[in-house]
């Protein structure tokens, strides 16, 4: 018998795996959800039992390739290589295990979609973001990011006239009004605790504009972690509400005549522990140039649903024009002034909401910014007025999902970055959603977005 090479470990599980198994037992976890985000922007997954967890951490859970051809109405689309024949694995990232305080007995792990041989599948959204981060690293940059989500809190009531259920907002408190802190207090404290338990660091909270609207922001993190955080955030906002017999939605425009829910994307670029956006005006300008140049196409990924485009209207602080400006809340890219001396300069992308797949959205933003840096794209003059007060002067963002998808299809940089399988599936799934809502009444669109997002 040959000697084992020194240092080889037999029956010594990966320390991550050992830690997860120990934690799951200690925390009384029975089910561990392996979660991923699909082309419809929906968070889906399968759960492993604790007794089978050790093995499933290694093998993942089997899944049909066809699920990445499903739209947000659970209508399966015909996409090449995503037929009912073919298998992938939902493979959890061991660094992402978190217990879910709003679902006692359950934990979650953010997951990749891999081929049975363990290599990442070309349609895995999380891998798309990882690759974008690697591309950035090849130029010696890293990106810190944070989604700044808004949501609407209320109750779900049947429609007396037999239509879709209605979201009845929790309150009619005014924007930032102290009274709003009180009406939403019990929920907010539970939400904060649930988020902090999952390792998300809460920055700020306030009652927002419009009935039941809330905003609770999360501290920035490296790009992949920021997207993982946003998945957990979305599910926790809704899960905590459900446990309290309430209904919460992050849909971009759940109530047609009220303020929309954004998920503005805050970005800072780093090199050698320096925030490049604070140190190098040229690089910052080129990154903005990349965002502005790709904005029409980007919105197809950052504002991923039919309902998204109802939100992008002028005078809503959600942005309707493809311009940038210092602390300009009507510009698509706001150059944020830092908070205090230790504050970090960052960019805020306003055409971004929680119906997007956060991995595709953030990955595409990285590719756009990087393209700006590589080609030294000029962002033009900053805009220091509300662009809507200068009719015809500034370019509008796409007005609908089909318009944004056409722009995406025409954008060589983003189409190349997405790759053939993913771009074909994304365009097909999203066009099917646009078709499914076309010609239907507004209440059908609102209900379906608020129940999913
Ligand atoms: N609710 C606005 C939106 O749809 C954002 C308001 C703000 O926080 O500036 O983006
Ligand atoms: Mg806000």
């Amino acid at each position: 018998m040959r000697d084992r090479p020194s240092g080889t470990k037999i029956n010594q599980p990966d320390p991550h795996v050992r830690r997860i198994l120990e934690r799951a037992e200690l925390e009384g976890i029975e089910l561990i959800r392996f979660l991923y985000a699909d082309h419809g922007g929906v968070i889906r997954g399968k759960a492993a039992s604790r007794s089978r967890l050790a093995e499933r951490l290694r093998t993942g859970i089997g899944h049909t390739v066809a699920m990445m051809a499903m739209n947000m109405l659970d209508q399966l689309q015909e996409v090449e290589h995503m037929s009912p024949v073919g298998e992938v694995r939902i493979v959890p990232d061991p660094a992402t295990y978190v217990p879910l305080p709003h679902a006692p007995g359950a934990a979650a792990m953010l997951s990749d979609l891999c081929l049975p041989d363990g290599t990442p599948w070309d349609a895995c959204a999380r891998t798309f973001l990882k690759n974008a981060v690697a591309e950035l690293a090849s130029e010696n940059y890293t990106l810190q990011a944070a989604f700044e989500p808004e949501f609407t809190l209320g109750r779900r009531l049947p429609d007396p006239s037999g239509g879709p259920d209605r979201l009845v907002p929790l309150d009619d408190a005014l924007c930032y009004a102290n009274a709003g802190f009180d009406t939403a207090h019990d929920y907010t404290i539970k939400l904060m605790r649930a988020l902090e338990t999952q390792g998300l660091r809460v920055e700020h909270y306030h009652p927002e504009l419009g009935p039941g609207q809330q905003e609770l922001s999360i501290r920035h993190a490296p790009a992949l972690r920021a997207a993982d955080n946003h998945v957990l955030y979305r599910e926790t906002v809704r899960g905590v509400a459900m446990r309290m017999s309430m209904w919460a939605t992050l849909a971009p425009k759940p109530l047609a005549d009220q303020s929309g829910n954004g998920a503005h994307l805050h970005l800072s670029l780093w090199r050698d522990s320096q925030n490049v956006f604070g140190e190098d005006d040229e690089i910052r300008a080129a990154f903005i140039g990349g965002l502005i140049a790709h904005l029409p196409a980007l919105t197809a990924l950052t504002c991923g649903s039919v309902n998204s485009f109802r939100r992008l209207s002028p005078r809503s602080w959600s942005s309707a024009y493809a311009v940038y400006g210092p602390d300009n809340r009507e510009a698509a890219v706001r150059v944020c002034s830092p908070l205090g001396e230790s504050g970090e300069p960052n960019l805020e992308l306003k055409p971004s909401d929680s119906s997007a797949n956060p991995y595709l959205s953030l990955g595409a933003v990285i590719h756009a910014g990087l393209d700006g840096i590589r080609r030294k794209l000029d962002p033009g003059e900053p805009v220091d007025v509300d662009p809507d007060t200068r009719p015809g002067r500034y370019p509008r963002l796409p007005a609908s999902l089909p318009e944004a998808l056409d722009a995406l299809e025409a954008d060589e940089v983003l189409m190349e970055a997405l790759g053939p399988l993913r771009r074909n599936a994304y365009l097909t799934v999203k066009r099917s959603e646009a078709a499914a809502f076309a010609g239907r009444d507004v209440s059908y669109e609102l209900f379906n977005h608020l129940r999913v997002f």
Side-chain angles (χ1 to χ4, degrees):
M1 197 166 81
R2 288 188 27 204
D3 282 348
R4 266 192 285 128
S6 63
T8 302
K9 293 179 185 155
I10 294 268
N11 294 332
Q12 292 277 320
D14 174 317
H16 265 312
V17 171
R18 209 173 45 230
R19 186 184 55 87
I20 291 167
L21 296 174
E22 282 167 8
R23 275 190 71 181
E25 187 173 354
L26 203 70
E27 289 161 351
I29 300 297
E30 305 299 342
L31 280 176
I32 300 85
R33 302 177 191 174
F34 294 2
L35 300 177
Y36 69 95
D38 74 3
H39 287 135
V42 183
I43 312 302
R44 303 189 192 250
K46 291 185 175 179
S49 66
R50 174 154 55 90
S51 61
R52 304 294 293 140
L53 183 59
E55 193 175 336
R56 292 295 158 256
L57 288 172
R58 215 172 43 244
T59 63
I61 302 181
H63 203 43
T64 166
V65 289
M67 280 308 292
M68 282 305 266
M70 194 73 105
N71 72 14
M72 61 155 286
L73 291 166
D74 258 1
Q75 297 164 338
L76 193 57
Q77 302 306 305
E78 269 192 35
V79 174
E80 206 185 355
H81 306 300
M82 290 184 189
S83 77
V85 184
E87 188 77 358
V88 285
R89 310 277 182 249
I90 311 176
V91 180
D93 179 340
T96 64
Y97 171 93
V98 282
L100 299 177
H102 53 285
M109 298 178 74
L110 287 318
S111 306
D112 296 331
L113 298 178
C114 295
L115 296 171
D117 69 6
T119 54
W121 186 36
D122 285 351
C124 170
R126 201 164 177 267
T127 300
F128 174 71
L129 176 54
K130 285 187 199 173
N131 291 345
V133 167
E135 187 92 14
L136 207 53
S138 74
E139 304 271 352
N140 296 319
Y141 293 115
T142 58
L143 188 95
Q144 289 278 319
F147 289 87
E148 180 199 294
E150 295 165 325
F151 58 93
T152 307
L153 186 61
R155 297 189 194 283
R156 182 173 184 161
L157 290 187
D159 180 6
S161 52
D165 285 357
R166 291 176 309 132
L167 171 70
V168 179
L170 178 73
D171 63 13
D172 52 6
L174 302 180
C175 189
Y176 303 111
N178 186 52
F181 284 99
D182 289 331
T183 41
H185 177 78
D186 290 352
Y187 171 84
T188 313
I189 295 297
K190 278 206 171 71
L191 174 63
M192 274 197 63
R193 288 182 179 149
L195 292 169
E196 295 271 356
T197 302
Q198 293 169 74
L200 280 74
R201 292 165 62 200
V202 174
E203 277 274 0
H204 306 124
Y205 161 73
H206 61 266
E208 255 283 357
L209 178 66
Q213 197 182 39
Q214 319 290 322
E215 177 176 322
L216 188 142
S217 52
I218 299 297
R219 180 117 185 112
H220 59 80
L224 181 64
R225 178 73 197 270
D228 285 343
N229 280 350
H230 193 52
V231 170
L232 295 172
Y233 183 101
R234 281 173 51 179
E235 299 311 283
T236 306
V237 160
R238 295 166 58 88
V240 171
M242 205 199 63
R243 296 280 297 182
M244 297 177 73
S245 304
M246 298 168 93
W247 205 20
T249 180
L250 298 99
K253 196 80 165 174
L255 305 164
D257 55 350
Q258 299 293 340
S259 174
N261 290 322
H264 304 169
L265 190 44
H266 288 262
L267 309 159
S268 59
L269 193 66
W270 293 74
R271 174 179 261 176
D272 300 332
S273 308
Q274 300 283 326
N275 181 344
V276 182
F277 288 164
E279 303 289 317
D280 189 329
D281 291 351
E282 268 178 38
I283 297 289
R284 188 184 67 192
F287 194 96
I288 297 172
L291 293 179
I292 299 288
H294 292 285
L295 257 183
L298 270 181
T299 53
L301 293 154
T302 58
C303 300
S305 66
V306 167
N307 189 238
S308 294
F309 292 83
R310 209 176 274 285
R311 169 182 159 255
L312 298 178
S313 55
R315 317 270 170 114
S316 311
W317 300 351
S318 57
S319 82
Y321 292 86
V323 297
Y324 77 102
D327 282 332
N328 187 337
R329 285 183 165 73
E330 286 294 341
V333 179
R334 169 182 163 222
V335 183
C336 304
S337 48
L339 271 182
E341 275 173 19
S342 61
E344 295 297 346
N346 67 94
L347 301 178
E348 176 184 30
L349 182 75
K350 282 179 168 275
S352 163
D353 69 55
S354 296
S355 65
N357 176 319
Y359 302 105
L360 297 183
S361 157
L362 190 47
V365 162
I366 290 175
H367 282 289
L370 201 48
D371 185 48
I373 292 176
R374 285 174 174 158
R375 294 199 288 140
K376 298 187 172 37
L377 292 178
D378 178 1
E381 288 300 310
V383 172
D384 60 2
V385 294
D386 175 352
D388 202 52
T389 60
R390 305 282 190 278
R393 172 134 179 223
Y394 299 113
R396 285 291 298 258
L397 292 172
S400 67
L401 183 59
E403 212 182 292
L405 291 168
D406 287 347
L408 177 61
E409 195 169 11
D411 188 307
E412 285 176 18
V413 171
L414 295 184
M415 291 303 273
E416 170 73 26
L418 288 167
L421 182 65
R422 193 183 284 109
R423 69 187 178 223
N424 182 30
Y426 190 79
L427 290 170
T428 304
V429 164
K430 285 293 159 190
R431 286 195 167 124
S432 77
E433 291 175 5
F437 289 111
R440 300 296 301 256
D441 62 22
V442 179
S443 62
Y444 178 79
E445 176 202 310
L446 301 184
F447 172 71
N448 279 293
H449 285 81
L450 67 86
R451 90 187 155 94
V452 172
F453 302 109

